[in-house]
Amino acid sequence: MNEPVRLKKRSYWGEVWHRLKKNPLAMSCLTFLAVMLFAILFADILSPYDYTEQDLSIRFQTPSAAHWMGTDGHGRDLMTRLLVGGRYSLLIALLSVAIGILFGMVIGALCGYFGKGVDSVLMRVMDVIMSIPGMMLAICISVALGSGVFNTALALAVGTIPMIARQLRSSTMLINGQEYIEAARSFGESDFKIIMTHVIPNTLAPIIVQTSLYIGGAIMGIAGLSFLGLGVQEPTPEWGNILNNGLGYIYDFSTRWHVIVFPALFIVLAELAFNLLGDGLRDAMDPRMRQ
Protein backbone atom coordinates (compact mmCIF):
# COMPACT_ATOMS: atom_id res chain seq x y z
CA MET A 1 0.00 0.00 0.00
CA ASN A 2 1.22 3.42 -0.92
CA GLU A 3 1.67 5.77 2.02
CA PRO A 4 -0.29 9.02 1.84
CA VAL A 5 1.72 12.01 0.64
CA ARG A 6 2.37 14.44 3.45
CA LEU A 7 2.47 18.06 2.38
CA LYS A 8 5.13 20.06 4.15
CA LYS A 9 3.53 22.94 6.02
CA ARG A 10 5.21 26.27 5.46
CA SER A 11 6.08 28.61 8.29
CA TYR A 12 4.51 32.06 8.47
CA TRP A 13 7.51 33.70 6.80
CA GLY A 14 7.63 30.88 4.26
CA GLU A 15 4.02 31.67 3.36
CA VAL A 16 4.85 35.37 3.07
CA TRP A 17 7.76 34.64 0.74
CA HIS A 18 5.62 32.24 -1.29
CA ARG A 19 2.93 34.88 -1.82
CA LEU A 20 5.48 37.63 -2.48
CA LYS A 21 7.05 35.57 -5.27
CA LYS A 22 3.67 35.49 -7.01
CA ASN A 23 3.71 39.30 -7.25
CA PRO A 24 5.81 40.12 -10.35
CA LEU A 25 5.87 43.86 -9.66
CA ALA A 26 7.11 43.44 -6.09
CA MET A 27 9.74 40.89 -7.18
CA SER A 28 10.91 43.23 -9.95
CA CYS A 29 11.33 46.00 -7.39
CA LEU A 30 13.16 43.65 -5.03
CA THR A 31 15.52 42.61 -7.84
CA PHE A 32 16.10 46.23 -8.83
CA LEU A 33 16.90 47.20 -5.23
CA ALA A 34 19.24 44.22 -4.84
CA VAL A 35 21.14 45.18 -8.01
CA MET A 36 21.27 48.83 -6.97
CA LEU A 37 22.52 47.92 -3.50
CA PHE A 38 25.20 45.67 -4.98
CA ALA A 39 26.36 48.44 -7.32
CA ILE A 40 26.39 50.99 -4.50
CA LEU A 41 28.37 48.77 -2.10
CA PHE A 42 30.92 47.74 -4.72
CA ALA A 43 31.15 51.05 -6.60
CA ASP A 44 34.88 51.28 -5.94
CA ILE A 45 35.39 47.97 -7.76
CA LEU A 46 32.83 48.45 -10.54
CA SER A 47 33.91 51.96 -11.49
CA PRO A 48 37.45 52.75 -12.69
CA TYR A 49 37.14 56.35 -11.45
CA ASP A 50 37.55 58.02 -8.09
CA TYR A 51 34.46 60.04 -7.17
CA THR A 52 36.72 62.97 -6.12
CA GLU A 53 38.87 62.87 -9.27
CA GLN A 54 38.52 66.08 -11.31
CA ASP A 55 39.43 66.72 -14.94
CA LEU A 56 38.32 70.13 -16.16
CA SER A 57 39.12 69.21 -19.76
CA ILE A 58 36.06 66.91 -19.86
CA ARG A 59 33.55 69.12 -18.01
CA PHE A 60 29.89 68.36 -18.84
CA GLN A 61 30.78 65.50 -21.15
CA THR A 62 27.56 63.77 -22.21
CA PRO A 63 27.13 59.99 -21.71
CA SER A 64 29.71 57.96 -23.64
CA ALA A 65 31.51 54.64 -23.52
CA ALA A 66 34.13 56.15 -21.19
CA HIS A 67 31.60 57.85 -18.88
CA TRP A 68 28.26 56.07 -19.01
CA MET A 69 26.37 58.93 -17.37
CA GLY A 70 28.68 61.72 -18.42
CA THR A 71 30.65 64.08 -16.21
CA ASP A 72 29.67 67.01 -14.00
CA GLY A 73 30.85 70.62 -13.86
CA HIS A 74 34.20 69.59 -12.34
CA GLY A 75 34.88 66.78 -14.78
CA ARG A 76 34.02 64.07 -12.25
CA ASP A 77 32.42 60.83 -13.42
CA LEU A 78 28.71 61.23 -12.66
CA MET A 79 27.87 57.54 -12.36
CA THR A 80 30.61 57.00 -9.78
CA ARG A 81 29.39 59.95 -7.73
CA LEU A 82 25.80 58.72 -7.87
CA LEU A 83 26.77 55.22 -6.76
CA VAL A 84 28.90 56.53 -3.90
CA GLY A 85 26.22 59.10 -3.07
CA GLY A 86 23.73 56.25 -2.82
CA ARG A 87 25.66 54.92 0.16
CA TYR A 88 24.97 58.09 2.11
CA SER A 89 21.35 58.34 0.91
CA LEU A 90 20.55 54.75 1.92
CA LEU A 91 22.59 54.93 5.14
CA ILE A 92 20.74 58.03 6.31
CA ALA A 93 17.39 56.58 5.22
CA LEU A 94 17.98 53.32 7.12
CA LEU A 95 19.31 55.16 10.16
CA SER A 96 16.38 57.58 10.28
CA VAL A 97 13.82 54.78 9.91
CA ALA A 98 15.60 52.67 12.55
CA ILE A 99 15.54 55.56 15.06
CA GLY A 100 11.90 56.30 14.28
CA ILE A 101 10.85 52.66 14.61
CA LEU A 102 12.81 52.13 17.84
CA PHE A 103 11.29 55.08 19.69
CA GLY A 104 7.89 54.69 18.01
CA MET A 105 7.62 51.02 19.02
CA VAL A 106 8.51 51.77 22.63
CA ILE A 107 6.03 54.66 22.90
CA GLY A 108 3.28 52.76 21.06
CA ALA A 109 3.71 49.63 23.16
CA LEU A 110 3.63 51.62 26.42
CA CYS A 111 0.49 53.51 25.36
CA GLY A 112 -1.35 50.44 24.15
CA TYR A 113 -0.37 48.25 27.09
CA PHE A 114 -0.83 50.61 30.05
CA GLY A 115 -3.45 52.99 28.59
CA LYS A 116 -5.11 55.66 30.79
CA GLY A 117 -2.66 58.34 31.97
CA VAL A 118 0.39 57.05 30.08
CA ASP A 119 -1.62 56.83 26.87
CA SER A 120 -3.12 60.31 27.26
CA VAL A 121 0.17 62.09 27.94
CA LEU A 122 2.30 60.36 25.30
CA MET A 123 -0.38 60.49 22.59
CA ARG A 124 -0.89 64.22 23.11
CA VAL A 125 2.84 64.71 22.60
CA MET A 126 2.62 62.62 19.42
CA ASP A 127 -0.35 64.71 18.26
CA VAL A 128 1.69 67.90 18.67
CA ILE A 129 4.54 66.45 16.58
CA MET A 130 2.12 65.19 13.91
CA SER A 131 0.50 68.63 13.67
CA ILE A 132 3.72 69.99 12.17
CA PRO A 133 4.30 69.12 8.47
CA GLY A 134 7.05 66.50 8.25
CA MET A 135 9.35 68.40 5.91
CA MET A 136 8.94 71.64 7.87
CA LEU A 137 9.81 69.79 11.09
CA ALA A 138 12.87 68.22 9.45
CA ILE A 139 14.02 71.62 8.17
CA CYS A 140 13.67 73.18 11.64
CA ILE A 141 15.62 70.36 13.30
CA SER A 142 18.32 70.47 10.61
CA VAL A 143 18.73 74.21 11.08
CA ALA A 144 18.99 73.75 14.86
CA LEU A 145 21.37 70.78 14.82
CA GLY A 146 23.34 71.54 11.66
CA SER A 147 24.16 69.37 8.67
CA GLY A 148 25.75 65.94 8.71
CA VAL A 149 24.79 62.30 8.35
CA PHE A 150 23.48 61.66 11.87
CA ASN A 151 21.79 65.06 12.27
CA THR A 152 19.98 64.61 8.96
CA ALA A 153 18.84 61.12 9.99
CA LEU A 154 17.62 62.44 13.35
CA ALA A 155 15.76 65.32 11.70
CA LEU A 156 13.81 62.89 9.51
CA ALA A 157 13.31 60.31 12.28
CA VAL A 158 11.39 62.66 14.58
CA GLY A 159 8.53 62.94 12.10
CA THR A 160 8.34 59.15 11.77
CA ILE A 161 8.01 58.41 15.50
CA PRO A 162 4.33 59.46 15.93
CA MET A 163 3.15 57.38 12.96
CA ILE A 164 4.92 54.25 14.20
CA ALA A 165 3.72 54.90 17.76
CA ARG A 166 0.08 55.23 16.71
CA GLN A 167 0.23 52.09 14.59
CA LEU A 168 1.85 49.99 17.32
CA ARG A 169 -0.54 51.42 19.92
CA SER A 170 -3.50 50.17 17.91
CA SER A 171 -1.94 46.72 17.42
CA THR A 172 -1.06 46.49 21.12
CA MET A 173 -4.59 47.39 22.20
CA LEU A 174 -5.93 44.60 19.97
CA ILE A 175 -3.77 41.89 21.51
CA ASN A 176 -3.67 43.24 25.07
CA GLY A 177 -6.70 41.20 26.11
CA GLN A 178 -5.67 37.97 24.38
CA GLU A 179 -5.44 34.76 26.39
CA TYR A 180 -1.66 34.41 26.13
CA ILE A 181 -1.19 37.90 27.57
CA GLU A 182 -3.48 37.05 30.50
CA ALA A 183 -1.65 33.74 30.95
CA ALA A 184 1.70 35.56 31.09
CA ARG A 185 0.34 37.91 33.76
CA SER A 186 -1.02 34.97 35.77
CA PHE A 187 2.44 33.38 35.76
CA GLY A 188 3.83 36.53 37.33
CA GLU A 189 5.80 37.85 34.35
CA SER A 190 6.71 41.52 34.61
CA ASP A 191 5.13 44.13 32.37
CA PHE A 192 8.50 44.77 30.72
CA LYS A 193 8.95 41.09 29.87
CA ILE A 194 5.40 40.79 28.53
CA ILE A 195 5.89 43.83 26.28
CA MET A 196 9.27 42.64 24.98
CA THR A 197 8.45 38.93 24.53
CA HIS A 198 4.74 38.90 23.71
CA VAL A 199 3.49 42.33 22.61
CA ILE A 200 6.18 43.70 20.30
CA PRO A 201 7.00 40.41 18.47
CA ASN A 202 3.30 39.96 17.63
CA THR A 203 3.01 43.46 16.18
CA LEU A 204 6.05 43.33 13.89
CA ALA A 205 4.28 42.39 10.64
CA PRO A 206 2.70 45.82 9.95
CA ILE A 207 5.90 47.54 11.06
CA ILE A 208 7.94 45.55 8.52
CA VAL A 209 5.54 46.60 5.77
CA GLN A 210 5.72 50.25 6.79
CA THR A 211 9.53 50.13 7.01
CA SER A 212 9.82 49.73 3.24
CA LEU A 213 7.42 52.64 2.68
CA TYR A 214 9.22 54.85 5.21
CA ILE A 215 12.62 54.16 3.61
CA GLY A 216 11.27 55.37 0.28
CA GLY A 217 9.91 58.52 1.89
CA ALA A 218 13.17 59.05 3.80
CA ILE A 219 15.19 58.93 0.56
CA MET A 220 13.04 61.71 -0.84
CA GLY A 221 13.30 63.66 2.41
CA ILE A 222 17.10 63.35 2.50
CA ALA A 223 17.32 64.52 -1.09
CA GLY A 224 15.08 67.46 -0.25
CA LEU A 225 17.18 68.55 2.73
CA SER A 226 20.43 68.18 0.78
CA PHE A 227 18.87 70.03 -2.14
CA LEU A 228 18.11 72.94 0.21
CA GLY A 229 21.64 72.85 1.58
CA LEU A 230 20.59 71.49 4.99
CA GLY A 231 21.57 67.84 4.60
CA VAL A 232 24.82 66.26 3.49
CA GLN A 233 27.25 68.90 2.31
CA GLU A 234 29.84 68.91 -0.44
CA PRO A 235 32.35 67.44 -1.12
CA THR A 236 30.50 64.38 0.23
CA PRO A 237 28.26 63.17 -2.63
CA GLU A 238 24.58 62.54 -1.96
CA TRP A 239 21.75 62.32 -4.46
CA GLY A 240 20.14 65.54 -3.26
CA ASN A 241 23.23 67.74 -3.42
CA ILE A 242 24.28 66.19 -6.75
CA LEU A 243 20.86 67.14 -8.16
CA ASN A 244 21.17 70.61 -6.62
CA ASN A 245 24.51 71.11 -8.37
CA GLY A 246 23.00 69.95 -11.66
CA LEU A 247 20.03 72.31 -11.48
CA GLY A 248 22.46 75.20 -11.47
CA TYR A 249 22.98 74.47 -15.16
CA ILE A 250 19.34 74.07 -16.17
CA TYR A 251 19.66 77.14 -18.37
CA ASP A 252 21.67 74.97 -20.79
CA PHE A 253 19.55 71.82 -20.47
CA SER A 254 20.05 70.75 -24.10
CA THR A 255 23.76 70.06 -23.58
CA ARG A 256 23.91 69.49 -19.82
CA TRP A 257 20.72 67.49 -19.30
CA HIS A 258 22.51 64.49 -17.85
CA VAL A 259 23.61 66.29 -14.67
CA ILE A 260 19.91 66.80 -13.87
CA VAL A 261 18.18 63.75 -15.32
CA PHE A 262 20.35 60.97 -13.84
CA PRO A 263 20.33 62.19 -10.19
CA ALA A 264 16.56 62.71 -10.42
CA LEU A 265 16.11 59.20 -11.86
CA PHE A 266 18.11 57.61 -9.03
CA ILE A 267 15.95 59.36 -6.41
CA VAL A 268 12.60 58.65 -8.10
CA LEU A 269 13.33 55.02 -9.00
CA ALA A 270 14.67 54.18 -5.53
CA GLU A 271 11.62 55.70 -3.81
CA LEU A 272 9.22 54.05 -6.26
CA ALA A 273 10.86 50.63 -5.83
CA PHE A 274 10.67 50.79 -2.02
CA ASN A 275 7.03 51.92 -2.13
CA LEU A 276 5.95 49.19 -4.56
CA LEU A 277 7.87 46.58 -2.56
CA GLY A 278 6.06 47.79 0.56
CA ASP A 279 2.72 47.36 -1.20
CA GLY A 280 3.73 43.84 -2.18
CA LEU A 281 4.77 43.00 1.38
CA ARG A 282 1.47 44.33 2.70
CA ASP A 283 -0.45 42.01 0.39
CA ALA A 284 1.82 39.06 1.18
CA MET A 285 1.41 39.54 4.95
CA ASP A 286 -2.36 39.98 4.77
CA PRO A 287 -3.93 36.95 6.53
CA ARG A 288 -6.85 37.10 4.10
CA MET A 289 -4.45 36.17 1.28
CA ARG A 290 -3.72 32.75 2.81
CA GLN A 291 -4.99 29.80 0.85
Side-chain angles (χ1 to χ4, degrees):
M1 251 181 105
N2 293 330
E3 294 185 2
V5 178
R6 294 184 180 179
L7 298 177
K8 185 178 180 181
K9 187 178 180 180
R10 299 188 186 95
S11 65
Y12 171 74
W13 294 109
E15 284 288 342
V16 170
W17 175 244
H18 178 70
R19 290 194 294 269
L20 186 65
K21 287 192 296 184
K22 292 182 178 180
N23 188 331
L25 185 58
M27 290 304 296
S28 298
C29 292
L30 182 61
T31 302
F32 170 78
L33 291 173
V35 172
M36 183 180 70
L37 182 61
F38 177 84
I40 287 172
L41 292 177
F42 297 98
D44 298 332
I45 299 174
L46 297 176
S47 176
Y49 304 102
D50 187 331
Y51 74 93
T52 61
E53 181 183 348
Q54 301 184 23
D55 185 355
L56 298 180
S57 65
I58 56 171
R59 294 175 70 238
F60 298 116
Q61 187 179 91
T62 53
S64 62
H67 301 278
W68 289 5
M69 295 183 182
T71 59
D72 64 7
H74 298 279
R76 298 171 295 193
D77 183 69
L78 187 58
M79 186 181 76
T80 303
R81 287 185 61 77
L82 286 171
L83 291 178
V84 175
R87 296 177 184 174
Y88 293 95
S89 294
L90 291 180
L91 173 63
I92 297 173
L94 291 172
L95 185 59
S96 68
V97 171
I99 294 173
I101 288 177
L102 177 62
F103 284 93
M105 288 179 70
V106 171
I107 294 171
L110 290 175
C111 291
Y113 184 80
F114 291 106
K116 298 181 180 179
V118 175
D119 183 35
S120 298
V121 172
L122 291 179
M123 280 297 105
R124 296 301 75 77
V125 175
M126 296 298 102
D127 289 341
V128 171
I129 296 175
M130 288 188 71
S131 67
I132 306 172
M135 196 61 186
M136 183 64 68
L137 180 63
I139 290 173
C140 293
I141 296 174
S142 292
V143 171
L145 298 180
S147 60
V149 172
F150 181 77
N151 289 344
T152 302
L154 186 60
L156 292 168
V158 173
T160 308
I161 293 174
M163 295 181 286
I164 295 291
R166 280 191 168 277
Q167 186 173 24
L168 198 73
R169 171 181 175 267
S170 300
S171 300
T172 303
M173 291 176 70
L174 287 174
I175 69 171
N176 198 24
Q178 297 294 323
E179 290 81 359
Y180 61 89
I181 299 294
E182 296 297 335
R185 290 195 183 106
S186 67
F187 279 111
E189 292 187 7
S190 65
D191 291 330
F192 176 79
K193 186 175 181 181
I194 292 174
I195 291 173
M196 296 304 296
T197 60
H198 299 293
V199 174
I200 290 181
N202 285 288
T203 57
L204 283 179
I207 300 299
I208 291 173
V209 173
Q210 291 300 318
T211 297
S212 179
L213 300 176
Y214 288 145
I215 290 175
I219 289 174
M220 187 64 74
I222 296 160
L225 289 177
S226 297
F227 181 81
L228 295 173
L230 299 172
V232 180
Q233 302 294 316
E234 287 280 7
T236 302
E238 192 277 324
W239 290 343
N241 63 35
I242 294 174
L243 178 60
N244 187 25
N245 292 337
L247 283 178
Y249 307 102
I250 196 170
Y251 62 88
D252 195 9
F253 184 79
S254 59
T255 58
R256 300 175 181 180
W257 58 270
H258 58 286
V259 296
I260 301 173
V261 171
F262 287 119
L265 275 177
F266 268 68
I267 296 170
V268 171
L269 290 178
E271 182 186 17
L272 183 63
F274 275 112
N275 287 341
L276 292 176
L277 178 60
D279 289 339
L281 283 171
R282 180 190 58 203
D283 294 339
M285 290 183 173
D286 189 343
R288 294 169 296 181
M289 298 293 291
R290 293 187 180 183
Q291 297 179 354

